[in-house]
Amino acid sequence: MNVSIFSGSANPLLTTTTAQGLGISVGQVVLQRFPDGELHVEIQESVRGHDVYLIQPTSPPVETHLLELLFLADACRRAGAASLTAIIPYFGYARQDRRASGREPVGARLVAELLQASGIQRVVTVDPHTSALEGFFRIPVEHLSAVPVLAAAVQASLPPEAVVVAPDLGAAKLAERYARVWQLPIAIVHKTRLSGKDVQVQRIIGEVRDRVPIVVDDMISTGGTIQAALQAVLAAGGRSEQPLVVASHGLLVGPAHERLRGLPLGRVLVTDSVAQPASPPWLQVVSLGPLLAEVVTRLHNQQSLSDLLTHT
Ligand code: R5P
C-alpha cells in the first residue's frame, strides 16, 4: 500500500489506532520549536509518490494544531506526495461560519483558505458544527458521521422510556438522526447564549415528563449547553435515573469537567476526535480509529464513501 500516515501533536493515539487498522505504522515526524517560538517540522521518511493522510484535529490549542497541520502539508507536498488528504476529525473554527455582528472575520472560511494554500487536496472531517463548511472549500470535503458508532455504543443499554434531547435548535437534526436509530421521540431545548461559557434556557419543545433524557450534541466545550439543557429537562419532569449525554467531540475545556461531574448523569459518551488526557469514570470514549481506517482504505481503492457520509 503506497500510503503514508502522519500526525502532528494533536491526537497521536487516534492516528496510531487508525494506522493499526490499516496494518501500517505512523510516519516519523520531528516537531520542534526554535528558541523564538517558531514551529519547525520535518518528516523523517520519503513520501514521494505516496498517498499521504495527515490526521490532526484542530482542537485546543487550536492555533498550534492548525499550524502543525499546515506545515506538515507543505512539507509533504514539497517532498513529492502524490496526493494529500487532511483528516481533521474535529474541525476548529467551524462555529465561525458567518459574521454575527459587523466587525468580525468569517474564521471558518479563512481556515479553509489556509488549508488549501498549504497543498491539501481533500479534507475528511467528522460531524462539523455546520455542513455549510463544505462551501468554503474548492477541494472535496467528506463529512463523516460519528452517529453510527456512538449510537451503537449506547444501543445495548438504552434506558426504557427515554427521550432524545437536542440542547439547542442547532442540534435538532442531529437529535433526529439518533432518534431514528434508537426509535425514540425527541425534544428540543430553546437556548440563548449569554457568553462564551454561559447559556440560558427559554423553553422546551416536546414531551420530556417521566422520560430519561439522552442529550445529544455535536460538541461539548465548556459544558454550559449540556448543563442548562439537562437541568431544564429534569425541572420539567424528566427522569433523573442515569440520563446520558452523547457528543461527537469532547473538547471539555474550562469548567466542563466540574459542570458535568456535578450533574446527575449516568454516562457521557464522546469520540476520540479530540484526545482525552483525563478519563474520569463518567466519561466513555469511543474510538473513530476503525472508521478512519475504513475511509483511508476506500479512498485509496477509489471506492464509494457514500454510506459513511452525512447528508443533511
Ligand atoms: C453550539 O451551537 C454547539 O453545538 C454546542 O452546543 C456548543 O458549542 C457547546 O458549547 P458549551 O459546551 O461551551 O456550551
Side-chain angles (χ1 to χ4, degrees):
M1 208 178 190
N2 237 6
V3 169
S4 295
I5 292 200
F6 295 98
S7 143
S9 64
N11 201 336
L13 186 58
L14 175 59
T15 310
T16 303
T17 314
T18 305
Q20 280 168 348
L22 293 161
I24 62 176
S25 45
V26 179
Q28 294 298 307
V29 173
V30 174
L31 300 163
Q32 58 188 5
R33 293 274 171 185
F34 287 130
D36 60 359
E38 281 187 5
L39 175 68
H40 181 252
V41 164
E42 190 174 350
I43 51 174
Q44 301 282 291
E45 52 204 67
S46 173
V47 293
R48 193 163 300 283
H50 286 207
D51 290 329
V52 173
Y53 294 83
L54 305 173
I55 303 184
Q56 174 95 330
T58 47
S59 51
V62 185
E63 281 75 22
T64 298
H65 292 156
L66 177 61
L67 198 65
E68 285 177 5
L69 177 58
L70 296 170
F71 276 36
L72 279 168
D74 193 64
C76 291
R77 181 175 62 87
R78 290 174 192 277
S83 73
L84 200 45
T85 300
I87 301 184
I88 310 176
Y90 167 71
F91 195 105
Y93 285 106
R95 282 178 287 183
Q96 295 192 40
D97 60 333
R98 64 188 186 287
R99 294 194 301 165
S101 63
R103 302 188 184 106
E104 300 171 344
V106 180
R109 158 93 200 192
L110 188 56
V111 169
E113 291 293 346
L114 290 170
L115 292 169
Q116 291 172 125
S118 72
I120 289 166
Q121 295 160 313
R122 177 168 49 204
V123 168
V124 176
T125 188
V126 181
D127 292 335
H129 178 66
T130 168
S131 49
L133 188 68
E134 180 172 10
F136 295 154
F137 286 90
R138 281 164 278 118
I139 57 177
V141 177
E142 316 286 6
H143 287 183
L144 305 175
S145 175
V147 171
V149 283
L150 288 168
V154 172
Q155 187 81 55
S157 55
L158 262 188
E161 304 295 316
V163 57
V164 180
V165 176
D168 57 26
L169 300 174
K173 273 193 180 344
L174 187 69
E176 275 171 12
R177 283 162 52 210
Y178 280 106
R180 254 197 312 274
V181 180
W182 293 328
Q183 298 283 295
L184 289 173
I186 75 166
I188 301 169
V189 176
H190 180 192
K191 98 176 175 197
T192 310
R193 186 164 281 287
L194 303 176
S195 71
K197 62 180 175 50
D198 292 306
V199 300
Q200 192 175 49
V201 170
Q202 305 293 349
R203 64 191 175 122
I204 298 170
I205 305 157
E207 193 46 66
V208 296
R209 181 164 295 283
D210 296 329
R211 290 186 167 268
V212 178
I214 307 177
V215 187
V216 300
D217 208 347
D218 60 329
M219 72 179 85
I220 308 171
S221 181
T222 66
T225 301
I226 297 293
Q227 183 187 45
L230 191 62
Q231 285 171 343
V233 167
L234 296 181
R239 275 171 39 194
S240 58
E241 302 133 36
Q242 308 279 298
L244 295 177
V245 171
V246 180
S248 307
H249 311 294
L251 294 169
L252 303 179
V253 295
H257 279 262
E258 197 188 322
R259 282 174 166 171
L260 295 173
R261 201 176 43 238
L263 291 170
L265 278 173
R267 272 181 299 160
V268 176
L269 279 91
V270 295
T271 72
D272 57 357
S273 63
V274 175
Q276 296 299 332
S279 50
W282 44 265
L283 186 66
Q284 181 179 344
V285 181
V286 181
S287 184
L288 291 174
L291 172 65
L292 299 187
E294 175 69 16
V295 166
V296 172
T297 304
R298 291 202 203 176
L299 286 175
H300 187 66
N301 297 327
Q302 314 229 356
Q303 293 167 326
S304 170
L305 293 184
S306 149
D307 57 317
L308 306 175
L309 300 178
T310 311
H311 303 286
T312 48

